[in-house]
Amino acid sequence: MPGFTGVLLKLTQHFQYLAYDPGVHPKEGGLPGLGVLKNVMGSINLFGIIAVVGALAISALIWAWGHHSGGHQAEQNGKKGVTVAAGCALLLGAANGIVAFFSAMGTQVH
């Protein structure tokens, strides 16, 4: 059955090509409501940053209270809270850059 083998080979090559480049690329403006979705994501990011400011302030107060009252457990928990809040602020602020970086890296994968 040389015909079947040839068809199978062509089919395999076609699937290999599709696995390499399926032809799907991000396109802005392709769906309605994209602007609304961007606004919603921006608002969620803003709420997250505001929440982190509150968490940072509360953690700093717990750290200071623990330090001045001799509560070593409270002091350590305050330090952890400040560190976590600072990390969250870093990630929220860098979210667009992180996604853009890894998206660009993903386009280079073949």
Side-chain angles (χ1 to χ4, degrees):
M1 281 187 158
F4 177 73
T5 306
V7 170
L8 188 61
L9 181 63
K10 286 183 181 183
L11 189 61
T12 304
Q13 289 173 347
H14 181 69
F15 281 130
Q16 285 176 343
Y17 176 74
L18 284 178
Y20 176 70
D21 185 13
V24 178
H25 304 285
K27 179 181 175 190
E28 190 165 337
L31 291 174
L34 190 60
V36 173
L37 184 61
K38 286 181 180 181
N39 285 336
V40 169
M41 291 298 110
S43 297
I44 289 172
N45 196 351
L46 177 63
F47 280 123
I49 290 172
I50 292 170
V52 165
V53 169
L56 183 65
I58 291 170
S59 296
L61 287 172
I62 292 171
W63 183 0
W65 174 73
H67 177 75
H68 290 294
S69 69
H72 301 294
Q73 179 98 22
E75 183 179 2
Q76 291 303 316
N77 287 336
K79 285 179 185 179
K80 281 190 271 186
V82 167
T83 304
V84 168
C88 287
L90 176 69
L91 289 174
L92 286 169
N96 285 336
I98 292 169
V99 170
F101 172 78
F102 284 106
S103 177
M105 293 300 291
T107 61
Q108 297 177 9
V109 175
H110 295 288

